[in-house]
Amino acid sequence: MTTTSDAVPDARTVAAELSDAGVAGVTISWADNNGIPRSRTVPVSALPRVAETGIGVTTLFAVFDSSDAITYAHEGLSSPSGDVRLVPVLDGLVPLAGQPALAWAPGRILDADGAPWPYDQRAVLERQVEELGKAGLTALVGYEIEFGVYAEGGPDEFVPAHPGPAYSPHALLAVDEFMADVLRDFTANGLEIGQLHAEYGPAQMELSLAPSDPVTAADRQLLARQTLRAAARRNGLRLSFAPLPAQAAAGNGWHIHSSVWRDGRNLLAGNQEGPGAEGAAYIAGLLRDLPAVAAITAPTLGSLARLRPGFFAGAFAFWGVENREAPLRYVPGSKFLGSDHANVELKTSDASANPYLALAAVLAAGAAGVADELSLEPPVQADPGSWSEKERAEQKIALLPRTQAEQEAALTGNPRIPAVLGDDLLGAFLAVRRSDAAAAEDRSPDDVLAGLRWRY
Ligand code: GLU
Ligand code: MG
């Protein structure tokens, strides 16, 4: 396939190659403000035209809430009129191993004149990467993806496809054919798996994706979902990517590992005390803005339900070295692993975040820390959840926002992160969050989680 990133692929050539390979259609996908993938599919013959001028889609996708209700509460998008153009990014196009009639491409959304559309989340991340570049920095990002595997069934059926034990090969035997398809299809779709295992609860699995530049990492996070779902369907299984599929289920974190680099040097490189000055400033920047960042990386009612102390989900705001209860877990390199391995993991992140916005928020917060030359307090190696209120107050460790209103206040009150989204997108994003919260008002927590279970 002509999909290398060093040359802009020519749509006609790509279409001809796809056609020769028996591919009939191209699915163009993006993620909305709820982290829900949306798409349009075109026949391969239409690709050259669509690659140039896109497909018409409603502006209202920016104000769909988590249950597909449209909110008109955001002033900029308060009417049913308006159309924008969804354009495939040919650089990211891959024929889908698990769906042989289709190729997949990430989409960007332009306004009707082909100019940037302020609600396009992918452009927000592209901008942020550019900003980093101006400061002489590049970033590497890798996602860890946790999900539940269930038997296919009606909307209310919820039968784990593996019984555990946690991390056991015996658990995986129950989903052996699915796992084999995942391994093969990921490779065929150009997704490099770091490792794959049975996670903590019944039904839960995890895989990690190899690090890449941020925009590619977000594109691949979406492609990974498509690839996983196709493999599950073929094997009579159903996946939940929801942050918390049910109160009693294990939470699904979609942890973000990031490192920043200057002149080919990993600034996160360090030891058990932490990274060097600039890497420490990056973590300090993340910590400073964490309540606002989490409002974007773990933004939904499902996210808030997942963020329970004691579940390795990152509920208290602090950092630690290899501390799995910390929302910011510093992973130092070592003599054995090399300094390139060093990174910081954000655990307060899940599939209900738009991946482009999530990475943009993370990089903006971290880069601001570097620009401001922040210093970092010593790491916390214990679980602050086991401390008294008084001890936590002494160490200045607080819970991250627990409600939609608290998250909104943390985000709008932050001096840096709102500007990353821009006023229009921020307005739409918050309107959607309020719409979700209002719809949940007269529903039980169980009911809300059940409604989100299969959405991502
Ligand atoms: N399942 C946990 C979460 O909700 C994470 C467990 C782990 O540290 O891998 O994020
Ligand atoms: Mg895990």
Side-chain angles (χ1 to χ4, degrees):
M1 273 310 125
T2 315
T3 54
T4 52
S5 52
D6 39 14
V8 177
D10 166 64
R12 259 170 227 295
T13 313
V14 174
E17 285 174 356
L18 289 174
S19 225
D20 287 349
V23 174
V26 179
T27 291
I28 307 159
S29 187
W30 76 100
D32 74 4
N33 282 327
N34 315 291
I36 297 176
R38 311 277 181 185
S39 76
R40 289 294 166 91
T41 296
V42 296
V44 163
S45 58
L47 186 64
R49 175 176 51 80
V50 167
E52 226 161 78
T53 53
I55 310 162
V57 295
T58 170
T59 51
L60 293 173
F61 277 120
V63 286
F64 267 51
D65 75 9
S66 296
S67 51
D68 292 348
I70 296 166
T71 171
Y72 290 99
H74 166 61
E75 208 189 311
L77 297 173
S78 58
S79 96
S81 310
D83 212 55
V84 282
R85 309 300 297 179
L86 172 67
V87 182
V89 178
L90 293 188
D91 250 0
L93 183 142
V94 287
L96 288 172
Q99 295 172 269
L102 291 181
W104 179 98
R108 62 162 50 98
I109 304 185
L110 303 174
D111 74 12
D113 294 324
W117 189 50
Y119 300 91
D120 178 26
Q121 298 94 345
R122 198 172 183 278
V124 168
L125 180 56
E126 285 176 335
R127 246 189 348 256
Q128 204 49 57
V129 170
E130 247 176 69
E131 287 301 315
L132 237 62
K134 286 182 201 158
L137 300 173
T138 54
L140 272 185
V141 180
Y143 261 99
E144 253 177 57
I145 294 178
E146 292 179 337
F147 54 96
V149 190
Y150 301 90
E152 231 165 33
D156 297 329
E157 276 171 77
F158 191 46
V159 181
H162 82 63
Y167 310 104
S168 169
H170 303 167
L172 291 179
L173 207 46
V175 291
D176 190 52
E177 295 79 6
F178 165 66
M179 200 171 63
D181 282 348
V182 167
L183 287 165
R184 285 196 198 102
D185 292 355
F186 267 62
T187 303
N189 289 350
L191 297 167
E192 192 186 331
I193 293 181
Q195 51 86 23
L196 173 64
H197 62 265
E199 245 287 341
Y200 200 72
Q204 200 178 35
M205 288 179 67
E206 171 176 328
L207 61 81
S208 60
L209 288 170
S212 66
D213 73 86
V215 178
T216 303
D219 288 345
R220 286 185 179 161
Q221 196 249 41
L222 289 182
L223 176 60
R225 304 189 202 201
Q226 184 75 24
T227 308
L228 283 165
R229 283 204 184 285
R233 182 179 171 276
R234 200 175 325 128
N235 288 283
L237 299 168
R238 198 160 42 149
L239 306 181
S240 177
F241 298 146
L244 192 62
Q247 302 275 6
N252 293 319
W254 286 35
H255 304 166
I256 297 169
H257 290 258
S258 66
S259 56
V260 281
W261 301 64
R262 192 190 289 290
D263 304 326
R265 200 169 49 84
N266 183 359
L267 302 185
L268 273 294
N271 55 33
Q272 293 300 318
E273 267 83 68
E278 280 201 299
Y282 178 78
I283 298 178
L286 274 166
L287 188 55
R288 174 174 67 178
D289 289 334
L290 194 56
V293 169
I296 294 173
T297 57
T300 61
L301 299 179
S303 310
L304 292 164
R306 168 180 159 256
L307 285 190
R308 299 162 298 183
F311 285 82
F312 293 179
F316 288 103
F318 69 102
W319 82 284
V321 180
E322 293 288 18
N323 183 343
R324 283 184 166 67
E325 190 54 26
L328 294 168
R329 167 187 164 221
Y330 174 57
V331 181
S334 69
K335 277 213 179 103
F336 183 49
L337 294 165
S339 59
D340 287 4
H341 180 82
N343 66 82
V344 61
E345 174 187 41
L346 173 68
K347 281 182 176 279
T348 318
S349 166
D350 63 60
S352 70
N354 177 293
Y356 302 98
L357 296 186
L359 297 186
V362 164
L363 296 176
V370 175
D372 293 345
E373 298 178 8
L374 296 186
S375 55
L376 192 57
E377 296 288 311
V380 173
Q381 297 305 95
D383 171 7
S386 66
W387 300 350
S388 67
E389 288 282 358
K390 187 164 163 282
E391 283 170 307
R392 281 197 293 269
E394 277 163 14
Q395 302 284 324
K396 298 197 197 69
I397 292 179
L399 277 173
L400 285 165
R402 297 297 306 147
T403 63
Q404 181 270 327
E406 282 177 20
Q407 278 201 327
E408 178 168 336
L411 182 52
T412 54
N414 182 283
R416 284 164 292 275
I417 305 302
V420 174
L421 275 64
D423 286 346
D424 294 317
L425 179 50
L426 180 69
F429 182 84
L430 292 174
V432 165
R433 302 279 71 80
R434 287 185 213 122
S435 178
D436 276 0
E441 254 166 29
D442 357 309
R443 297 170 65 196
S444 71
D446 285 338
D447 203 27
V448 171
L449 293 183
L452 297 173
R453 189 174 290 156
W454 311 113
R455 303 286 299 160
Y456 307 101

